[in-house]
């Protein structure tokens, strides 16, 4: 298991050092600094073995977090733990920076003592930890409170404490998707996938039992079969095939496996309910049509048309098209129908920005690129044209069908909960070769 | 509140000040002081002198202060064991506290104080805490047992803590169960033989129940523990798998990967024809793909593991190639790993895409990545035969970029391509030679030298090229020196007349002027071989090279199995067994996959369940083939760590001993001149030549020159009767009938030319169209006298197989043009494919087995030979006459199985399994070949040979 945990600043000075096992000594702290932080070459693996000690590291802004061990530990777990530790620290004091770590070192030690015992990760849900590790020193607790804390920390619902109360029961669901595309110059889709996240903000009293439903093809088809045939055919069209999804630990996985229903008791506040990936029937919000013509050896004509491919009533925002230019570009003349375009020599690209664009529209940019003659034999590799945008719908076609809330002990019902759903589609790596 | 101020105390006399503050009456001041102490401790200052003062602060109700003092204690107790005792009372008292958080804190901290005297006091409180009513205390106590065991294992056993710990597996609280499992697993690791983690169906059931309820970390502990269990039968195995699969949707990658480990392991137990087996395989792919959208560090761990999984069960991810395409912003360690997996998944179906990607990568900036991409292109060529040509042309494009490291890398891989497909891409040698000067890396130089030596007969200035390398012989690395030595010896054997001086020079450089024992030994062996038995030398040095495997750097199967049992752990990241990087006894037990009887992997051999075949060595690298051949023949071969280094081979050492004993002096100064066959002879160093040396040398060299004459016509070669190829009607009176014969390794076209016209025919010439195997006349058609009317003449035309190649339909079709003084006539004929079977087509038994397994099953074709009344021995003899060699024969239930091999002139091997059942005139023949197109032809040939 994890033998020691260290936090360094960018200079390699130790900010936190907690040793859990005898086989990790003070020299390990220095070994990592010398061989990784101060290494002349950039380190080429997040796992390094130095003098029979293995180090796992992640970096957050200018701070290094490293876990050391001399055993055959579960590597995946160590990294997950390091991320989790970052989450916990962020939940307590915001951004992880040298300043913040120094300011909170006592707190961090206290947390490390709690979430890692003899190198074994223990309950590390910020929601639960905050009930008994606070920055204001330890509150004196009544006996009931104490046993409530311990049962929560060790209990089945470690991520939520009891007795939460809100005057207004409210929840926000954000379906956030990033759509990735690689398209050939002829408009053929080489690869496309959506990776999506359902993020929830819950302000619910008590221990609410939630059930989340979306237009998952498997569920809809099953219901279609059970119900009348008409229904099945109608709803079948709107359902989507999900390649794979993963859930927050609050979701009962065995229930999902057997019935494909998503039921859970949510943590309080912000958290990520699920992640998913789809590859079929993706709505590609934009189509990029490039036209590159080489006029002699010193001139290049580029025309790029973008077409928005969604309902005319919707508006896409923050549209940005990056058109790469050769290294020997000497000057660029640009004409664009909409938005602003600029040649950025430092990035070797023309950047065309359009603030807003409605669906079913098209726009274009033409550029004349002057080239310096070179004797470089290497041909210009023509990197792909990439694009950024934001659209107010889910490109995968995912729809939230319901999110039901039951709290049997308190007197509010599903209808009393105010629910908000928002869809945000963003570009991931959205590239068209030219 | 800001604590950062504590880090900036660098005043002199600070310890003294701290001491005063620690002893202050004010609580706040005390706390501040302890914080300062901890801060100093963190940055590495020695504050152990404050021990008594800090311990004095321990008696407090302030939990925060208490925790700080404990932290200090854990750090320094070992250096002050006597003082540490002072803390015991407080611990013991705290273990009785009303607040469960304090009880747990005390027992947790006590376990971390590694002082024997304290340990003794720990036992009683620990015993109580293990049975505490509060689960929080119990889960902490469970881990404490592991801590105590680490300090004093005997004590833990004597006190019976292990049994209590075992009881906790049945605890009602899932987190207590998880921690107990973790503690027990760790303790069990240091007692490999104890039955500590007594996993039986009941406990497994308990674990599976707890699995659904505990924290993500607890799930990992339980899954990792489950992976050590061996289910009793496939049913149990399946039911565990069913209960573990839901974990694949967990957001925590470690839970997913540990679940994958359990599934991969238990899958071995499931019969492959089970529906569930297929379902399970399908379920594994999506979560593995999803891991690739995690943070880069996790992606790295996932990719290292996927690399193992793909080697063990390629079917899981075979359709997921695209997700391994490298993204521009991936960190370098992710890029390199993805590349590795892309090569493993490359197949005929996706090769075009893969190549396009690789070509893109080869233009990136990171040198290591670019090199690996170039190497990957070469590996694709070797793996997917159909793509070889495109790979080679891609590599040539890359060489044109003249980027130095790209060129060098390309040459290294082209060498491998040459080995895999001999006589196919030699046209590129000229291009390679242009870049000779720019090569500065030993590996690239060695590869180039190998190419020059191997194809010396086709490179006009091979001697000059090699000579140019020889100038700086002693500055080269050993790899290059060895290669140069071998290449020049090859050159000499191929062009003996022009290169004696060169070979003499290199032998003397290697044996006289070198300190490197490997080089010297190899030099002596060559020298002796050349001087005593040049025929043998030729056989050894120019021997057929062993098959190079499609998959290079595969992990050795036993190691792979072990690593599969360690999925998710460091071992799987390093691709090394834990014993390679873990000290002491911990975690060093070797784990193996257990598969159910009867459903093992060995079924995939040539015939179902054959014992002989399951002995086949895994086809990783043909290292154990023939040691000597391997030894002398270069062997840069595929990069591998498993092949034995030349010096350690027993054969080699023996040889060297022998050489040293057998007149070293004479060898060193050997003037071997005077032999008529040699012309000028070897160079002329001063020392006199012992007479006894002379005879064998000249004799041997004579042999060398008429090499290829050996063999003679084997008994019983089947020669098809002559048939009319060109009827007189079509050729203005010229009738040609003929047949093909293979004599002494030479293919001959034997023709009868019959003049049925009224006038004399003369000025004959013959030409072939391009054909499948590059058959071409080896010389002009020798018809010296004109043929008068009604006269017929016999002509034999020797053929070579180095002509231009074009695939014909049928494969053995040959289009011929014959010219005489009247006109040009065209005809086509078919030659029996056995003409092309080489005399050395007998494969090593082991190589045969390996090759058979290596060739995909799609390439296998089966035929029936009807009405054949020979017994298997007679058939075998008959076939041998046509260079179809029987390698092994087995009899199973009255059925004789003959395993046969033949080798075509273009280096294609055809493997056959012929089944002959006594009393049944119908034979079954299965043919396996990397070029399945030839199967039909080969089958026809079997039929004709056997029936005549």
């Amino acid at each position: 298991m994890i033998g020691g945990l260290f936090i360094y600043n960018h200079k390699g000075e130790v900010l936190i050092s907690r040793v859990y096992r005898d086989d990790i000594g003070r020299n390990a702290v220095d070994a990592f600094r010398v061989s990784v932080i101060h290494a002349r070459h950039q380190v080429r693996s997040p796992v390094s073995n130095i003098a029979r000690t293995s180090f796992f590291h992640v970096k957050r802004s200018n701070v290094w977090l490293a876990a050391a061990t001399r055993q055959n530990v579960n590597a995946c777990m160590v990294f997950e733990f390091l991320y989790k530790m970052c989450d916990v620290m962020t939940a307590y004091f915001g951004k992880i920076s040298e300043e913040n770590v120094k300011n909170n070192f006592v707190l961090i030690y206290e947390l490390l003592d709690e979430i890692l015992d003899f190198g074994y990760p223990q309950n590390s849900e910020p929601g639960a930890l905050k009930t008994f590790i606070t920055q204001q020193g330890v509150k004196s607790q009544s006996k009931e409170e104490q046993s409530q804390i311990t049962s929560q920390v060790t209990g089945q619902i470690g991520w939520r404490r009891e007795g939460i109360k809100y005057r207004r029961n409210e929840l926000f669901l954000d379906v956030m998707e990033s759509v990735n595309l690689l398209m050939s110059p002829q408009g053929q889709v080489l690869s496309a996938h959506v990776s999506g996240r359902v993020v929830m903000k819950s302000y619910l009293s008590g221990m609410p039992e939630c059930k989340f439903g979306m237009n998952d093809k498997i569920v809809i088809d099953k219901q279609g079969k059970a119900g009348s045939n008409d229904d099945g055919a109608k709803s079948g069209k709107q359902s989507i095939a999900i390649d794979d999804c993963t859930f927050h630990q609050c979701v009962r996985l065995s229930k999902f496996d057997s019935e494909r229903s998503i039921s859970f008791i949510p943590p309080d506040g912000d958290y990520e309910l699920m992640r998913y990936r789809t590859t079929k029937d993706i709505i590609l919000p934009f189509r990029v049509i490039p036209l590159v013509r080489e006029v002699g050896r010193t001139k290049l004509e580029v025309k790029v048309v973008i077409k928005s491919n969604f309902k005319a009533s919707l508006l896409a925002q923050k549209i940005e098209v990056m058109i790469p230019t050769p290294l020997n570009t000497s000057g660029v003349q640009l004409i664009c129908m909409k938005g602003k375009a600029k040649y950025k020599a430092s990035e070797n690209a023309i950047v065309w920005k359009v603030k807003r664009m409605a669906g079913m529209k098209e726009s274009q940019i033409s550029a004349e690129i002057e080239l310096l003659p070179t004797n470089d034999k290497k041909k210009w590799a023509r990197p792909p044209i990439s694009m950024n945008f934001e659209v107010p719908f889910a490109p995968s076609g995912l729809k939230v069908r319901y999110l039901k809330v039951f709290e049997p002990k308190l007197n509010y019902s599903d209808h009393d909960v105010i629910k908000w759903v928002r869809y945000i589609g963003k570009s991931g790596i959205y590239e068209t070769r030219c | 509140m800001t604590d950062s101020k504590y880090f900036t105390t660098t005043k002199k006399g600070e310890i003294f000040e701290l001491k005063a503050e620690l002893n202050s009456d004010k609580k706040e001041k005390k706390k501040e002081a302890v914080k300062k102490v901890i801060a100093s401790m963190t940055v590495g200052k020695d504050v152990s002198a404050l021990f008594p003062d800090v311990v004095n602060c321990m008696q407090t109700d302030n939990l925060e202060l208490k925790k700080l003092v404990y932290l200090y204690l854990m750090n320094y107790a070992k250096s002050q064991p006597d003082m540490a005792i002072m803390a015991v009372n407080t611990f013991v008292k705290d273990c009785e506290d009303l607040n469960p958080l304090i009880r747990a804190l005390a027992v947790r901290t006590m376990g971390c104080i590694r002082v024997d005297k304290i340990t003794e006091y720990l036992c009683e409180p620990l015993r109580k805490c293990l049975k505490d009513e509060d689960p929080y205390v119990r889960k902490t106590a469970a881990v404490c047992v592991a801590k105590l065991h680490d300090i004093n294992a005997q004590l833990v056993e004597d006190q019976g803590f292990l049994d209590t710990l075992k009881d906790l597996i049945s605890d009602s609280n899932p987190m207590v169960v998880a921690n107990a499992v973790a503690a027990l697993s760790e303790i069990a690791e240091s007692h490999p033989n104890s039955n500590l983690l007594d996993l039986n169906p009941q406990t497994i059931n308990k674990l599976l129940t707890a699995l659904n309820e505990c924290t993500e970390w607890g799930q990992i502990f339980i899954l990792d523990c489950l992976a050590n269990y061996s289910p009793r039968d496939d049913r149990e195995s399946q039911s565990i798998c069913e209960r573990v699969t839901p974990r694949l949707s967990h957001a925590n990658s470690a839970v997913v990967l540990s679940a994958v480990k359990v599934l991969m392991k238990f899958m071995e137990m499931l019969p492959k024809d089970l529906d569930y087996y297929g379902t399970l395989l399908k379920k594994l792919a999506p979560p593995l793909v999803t891991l690739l959208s995690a943070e880069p560090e996790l992606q790295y761990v996932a990719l290292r593991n996927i690399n193992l999984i793909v080697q063990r069960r390629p079917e899981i991810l075979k359709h997921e190639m695209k997700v391994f395409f490298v993204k521009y912003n991936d960190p370098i360690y992710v890029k390199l790993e993805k590349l590795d997996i892309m090569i493993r998944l490359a197949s005929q179906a996706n090769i075009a895409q893969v190549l396009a990607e690789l070509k893109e990568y080869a233009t990136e900036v990171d040198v290591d990545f670019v090199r690996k991409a170039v190497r990957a292109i070469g590996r694709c060529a070797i793996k997917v035969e159909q793509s070889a040509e495109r790979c080679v042309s891609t590599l040539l494009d890359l060489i044109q970029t003249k980027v130095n490291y790209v060129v060098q890398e390309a040459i290294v891989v082209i060498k491998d391509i040459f080995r895999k497909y001999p006589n196919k891409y030699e046209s590129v040698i000229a291009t390679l030679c242009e870049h000779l000067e720019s090569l500065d890396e030993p590996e690239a130089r060695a590869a180039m030298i190998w190419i020059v030596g191997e194809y010396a007969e086709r490179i006009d200035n091979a001697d000059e090229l090699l000579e140019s390398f020889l100038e700086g012989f002693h500055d080269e690395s050993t790899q290059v020196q060895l290669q140069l030595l071998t290449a020049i010896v090859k050159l000499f054997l191929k062009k003996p007349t022009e290169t004696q001086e060169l070979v003499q020079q290199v032998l003397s450089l290697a044996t006289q002027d070198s300190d490197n024992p490997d080089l010297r030994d190899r030099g002596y062996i060559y020298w002796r071989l050349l001087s005593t038995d040049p025929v043998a030398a030729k056989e050894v040095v120019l021997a057929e090279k062993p098959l190079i495997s499609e998959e290079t750097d595969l992990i050795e199967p036993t190691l792979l199995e072990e690593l599969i049992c360690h999925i998710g752990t460091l071992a799987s990241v390093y691709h090394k067994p834990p014993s390679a990087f873990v000290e002491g006894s911990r975690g060093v037990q070797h784990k193996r996959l257990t598969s159910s009887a009867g459903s093992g992997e060995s079924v995939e051999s040539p015939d179902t369940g054959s014992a002989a075949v399951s002995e086949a060595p895994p086809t990783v690298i043909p290292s154990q083939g023939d040691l000597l051949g391997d030894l002398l023949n270069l062997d840069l071969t595929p990069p591998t760590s498993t092949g034995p280094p030349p010096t350690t081979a027993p054969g080699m050492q023996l040889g060297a001993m022998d050489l040293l004993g057998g007149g070293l002096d004479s060898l060193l100064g050997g003037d071997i001149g005077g032999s008529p066959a040699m012309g000028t002879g070897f160079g002329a160093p001063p020392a006199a030549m012992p007479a006894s040396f002379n005879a064998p040398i000249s004799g041997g060299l004579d042999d060398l020159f008429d090499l290829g004459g050996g063999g003679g016509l084997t008994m019983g070669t089947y020669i098809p009767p002559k048939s009319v190829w060109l009827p007189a009607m079509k050729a203005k009176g010229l009738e040609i009938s003929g047949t093909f014969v293979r004599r002494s390794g030479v293919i001959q076209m034997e023709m009868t030319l019959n003049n049925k016209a009224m006038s004399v025919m003369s000025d004959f010439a013959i030409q072939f169209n391009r054909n499948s195997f590059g058959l071409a006349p080896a010389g002009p058609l020798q018809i010296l006298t004109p043929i008068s009317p009604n006269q017929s003449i016999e002509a034999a035309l020797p053929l070579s197989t180095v002509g231009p190649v074009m695939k014909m339909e049928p494969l053995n079709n040959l289009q011929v043009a014959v010219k005489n003084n009247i006109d040009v006539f065209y005809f086509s004929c078919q030659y029996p494919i056995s003409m092309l079977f080489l005399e050395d087509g007998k494969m090593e038994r082991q190589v045969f087995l390996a090759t058979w397994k290596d060739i995909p099953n799609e390439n296998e074709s089966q035929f029936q030979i009807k009405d054949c009344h020979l017994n298997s021995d007679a058939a075998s003899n008959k076939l041998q006459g046509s260079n179809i060699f029987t390698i092994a024969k087995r009899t199973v239930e009255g059925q004789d199985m003959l395993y046969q091999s033949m080798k075509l002139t273009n280096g294609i091997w055809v493997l056959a399994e012929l089944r002959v059942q006594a009393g049944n005139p119908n034979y079954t023949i299965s043919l396996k070949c990397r070029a399945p197109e030839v199967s039909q032809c080969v089958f026809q040939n079997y039929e004709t040979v056997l029936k005549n």
Side-chain angles (χ1 to χ4, degrees), chain B residues 326-378:
Chain B
V326 170
K327 290 184 194 135
Y328 188 76
N329 290 325
D330 283 337
I332 183 68
Y333 50 82
V334 169
K335 285 185 178 177
L336 293 172
E337 293 305 317
K338 281 188 174 173
L339 204 50
D340 248 349
I341 295 169
M342 279 174 66
I343 302 163
R344 296 218 190 282
L345 292 178
S347 68
Q348 206 182 330
N350 55 26
I351 192 74
Q353 255 184 330
V354 173
L355 267 182
E357 285 291 314
L358 292 176
K359 207 173 167 184
E360 296 259 315
Y361 304 162
T363 59
E364 281 216 31
V365 275
D366 190 287
V367 176
D368 280 350
F369 181 60
V370 170
R371 279 171 179 276
K372 200 160 183 176
V374 174
R375 213 160 261 233
I377 296 174

Side-chain angles (χ1 to χ4, degrees), chain A residues 15 21-22 44 52 54 71-73 75 80 83-84 103 109 114 117 120 122 124 150 190 244 246-247, chain B residues 4 42 114 134 136 147 179 186 216-217 249 251 253 290 297 322 333 366 368 568 570-571 574 583:
Chain A
L15 305 178
R21 300 255 171 164
D22 230 19
R44 312 218 111 197
R52 291 182 87 81
S54 298
Q71 296 179 13
N72 182 30
V73 298
E80 283 283 5
Y83 301 140
K84 194 54 160 231
N103 280 337
Y109 275 123
E114 185 60 43
D117 190 3
Y120 289 107
Q122 304 292 309
S124 43
T150 57
L190 297 175
D244 187 40
T246 58
F247 296 100
Chain B
S4 58
T42 299
R114 305 174 60 89
D134 195 293
Y136 184 76
K147 292 179 188 168
N179 277 4
E186 180 165 346
E216 42 194 335
W217 314 116
S249 306
S253 315
T290 298
E297 290 89 359
K322 278 185 186 170
Y333 50 82
D366 190 287
D368 280 350
L570 264 181
Y574 294 146
E583 272 164 11

Side-chain angles (χ1 to χ4, degrees), chain B residues 494-768:
Chain B
K494 287 174 179 172
K495 298 181 182 172
T497 45
E498 306 131 49
T499 55
Q500 289 138 16
E501 234 174 275
L502 197 60
V503 79
Q504 179 73 11
Q505 206 183 337
V506 76
L507 286 175
S508 99
L509 278 171
T511 53
Q512 277 175 289
D513 304 340
S514 170
D515 302 333
N516 185 320
D518 290 356
L519 187 63
R520 271 208 316 260
D521 288 355
R522 195 185 282 194
Y524 284 136
I525 287 195
Y526 283 154
W527 201 323
R528 170 149 285 202
L529 261 172
L530 288 176
S531 51
T532 51
D533 190 353
V535 181
K538 201 159 186 178
E539 269 167 22
V540 171
V541 180
L542 302 181
E544 190 64 32
K545 270 154 279 305
L547 191 78
I548 75 166
S549 168
E550 293 185 351
E551 298 275 355
T552 43
D553 62 67
L554 275 184
I555 293 171
E556 198 206 331
T558 44
L559 176 59
L560 181 62
E561 284 191 14
E562 188 178 351
L563 292 180
I564 289 286
C565 299
H566 288 294
I567 283 180
T569 68
L570 264 181
S572 73
V573 174
Y574 294 146
H575 288 185
K576 283 181 192 156
S579 53
F581 59 92
V582 175
E583 272 164 11
S585 59
R586 206 168 249 160
V588 184
Q589 326 156 43
H590 291 277
K591 296 186 178 175
R592 284 296 301 268
L593 291 176
T594 42
S595 66
S596 65
S599 67
E601 301 290 286
S602 57
V603 194
E604 289 156 11
S605 34
D607 59 290
T608 40
S610 125
V613 169
S614 54
E615 282 163 21
T619 51
V620 181
I621 300 290
S623 58
Q624 69 274 69
D626 58 342
L627 203 50
L628 193 65
D630 215 69
L631 231 149
L632 292 178
N633 240 305
L634 73 126
D635 273 311
L636 294 172
T637 31
T640 164
S641 53
T642 52
T647 36
T648 58
M652 181 74 173
Q653 267 158 5
L654 249 163
M657 290 291 289
D658 191 33
L659 271 172
L660 294 172
L664 181 62
D665 292 345
S666 52
L667 255 174
L668 287 174
D671 172 11
I672 320 176
S675 124
M678 285 284 299
T680 52
F682 281 102
M689 168 84 195
S692 61
F693 233 94
N694 246 324
I697 295 169
S698 49
L701 279 173
D702 281 340
D703 274 1
L704 177 59
F705 289 123
D706 62 21
L707 194 115
L713 190 58
T714 333
M715 290 280 288
T717 305
Y718 164 69
I719 302 167
K722 278 186 183 173
S723 56
V724 177
W725 284 341
L726 183 70
M729 298 269 291
K730 284 192 178 170
K732 303 186 178 162
L734 175 67
E735 186 190 78
I736 300 179
S737 52
T739 186
F740 293 88
V741 190
R742 186 180 179 92
R743 283 201 177 98
S744 321
V746 178
I747 309 167
Q748 290 207 339
M749 189 166 166
E750 294 191 341
M751 290 177 288
T752 309
L753 285 79
N754 200 341
N755 184 354
K756 294 196 171 169
M758 304 302 286
S759 57
V760 176
M761 291 180 180
S762 62
D763 306 332
F764 284 94
I766 194 163
Q767 221 172 12
F768 292 175

Side-chain angles (χ1 to χ4, degrees), chain B residues 51 122 230 239 420 592 721 888:
Chain B
F51 199 92
L122 177 60
S230 312
S239 85
K420 171 82 182 185
R592 284 296 301 268

Side-chain angles (χ1 to χ4, degrees), chain A residues 192-204:
Chain A
H193 78 270
V194 165
S195 56
R197 308 188 300 144
V198 178
V199 177
M200 189 170 169
K201 230 181 259 181
S202 72
Y203 303 110
L204 300 170

Side-chain angles (χ1 to χ4, degrees), chain B residues 601-907:
Chain B
E601 301 290 286
S602 57
V603 194
E604 289 156 11
S605 34
D607 59 290
T608 40
S610 125
V613 169
S614 54
E615 282 163 21
T619 51
V620 181
I621 300 290
S623 58
Q624 69 274 69
D626 58 342
L627 203 50
L628 193 65
D630 215 69
L631 231 149
L632 292 178
N633 240 305
L634 73 126
D635 273 311
L636 294 172
T637 31
T640 164
S641 53
T642 52
T647 36
T648 58
M652 181 74 173
Q653 267 158 5
L654 249 163
M657 290 291 289
D658 191 33
L659 271 172
L660 294 172
L664 181 62
D665 292 345
S666 52
L667 255 174
L668 287 174
D671 172 11
I672 320 176
S675 124
M678 285 284 299
T680 52
F682 281 102
M689 168 84 195
S692 61
F693 233 94
N694 246 324
I697 295 169
S698 49
L701 279 173
D702 281 340
D703 274 1
L704 177 59
F705 289 123
D706 62 21
L707 194 115
L713 190 58
T714 333
M715 290 280 288
T717 305
Y718 164 69
I719 302 167
K722 278 186 183 173
S723 56
V724 177
W725 284 341
L726 183 70
M729 298 269 291
K730 284 192 178 170
K732 303 186 178 162
L734 175 67
E735 186 190 78
I736 300 179
S737 52
T739 186
F740 293 88
V741 190
R742 186 180 179 92
R743 283 201 177 98
S744 321
V746 178
I747 309 167
Q748 290 207 339
M749 189 166 166
E750 294 191 341
M751 290 177 288
T752 309
L753 285 79
N754 200 341
N755 184 354
K756 294 196 171 169
M758 304 302 286
S759 57
V760 176
M761 291 180 180
S762 62
D763 306 332
F764 284 94
I766 194 163
Q767 221 172 12
F768 292 175
N769 194 1
R770 288 191 288 173
N771 54 71
S772 317
F773 293 93
L775 280 176
L781 184 60
Q782 301 274 347
I783 298 173
L784 301 171
T785 50
I787 312 176
S788 28
N790 272 331
Q791 190 195 357
S792 69
I793 253 184
E794 301 283 332
L797 179 70
L799 305 182
S800 73
T801 52
V802 291
V805 174
M806 183 175 81
K807 197 179 166 193
M808 300 296 293
E809 194 55 50
L811 215 57
N812 56 345
N813 198 19
L814 183 66
Q815 294 175 341
V816 184
V818 172
K819 185 189 95 103
N820 62 8
N821 55 339
I822 299 166
D823 204 351
V824 183
F825 311 108
Y826 301 93
F827 65 89
S828 66
C829 54
Q830 291 178 11
Y831 49 91
I833 200 158
S834 62
M835 289 304 115
L836 303 168
F837 293 161
L838 293 176
E839 281 68 21
D840 62 348
K842 185 161 185 170
M843 215 177 219
E844 282 283 320
R845 218 182 133 117
Q846 283 193 335
V847 180
F848 180 89
L849 290 172
T851 315
W852 185 281
K853 278 187 97 169
D854 209 35
I855 297 176
N857 282 334
E858 305 90 89
N859 285 7
E860 180 171 348
S861 30
Q862 250 193 22
F863 304 96
Q864 289 275 332
I865 301 174
K866 289 195 172 127
D867 292 326
C868 191
H869 297 279
L870 297 165
N871 68 19
S872 59
D873 287 338
S876 169
N877 280 338
K878 217 165 183 182
L879 290 167
Q880 176 128 13
S882 298
N883 289 341
I884 299 173
F885 299 97
T886 304
I887 290 159
K889 177 182 160 183
R890 283 191 321 112
T891 307
V892 177
E893 293 165 7
Q895 198 174 26
D896 287 336
M897 324 265 246
L898 298 177
Y899 295 99
Q900 299 174 319
S901 74
M902 56 224 93
K903 184 184 164 198
L904 292 166
T905 46
N906 56 358

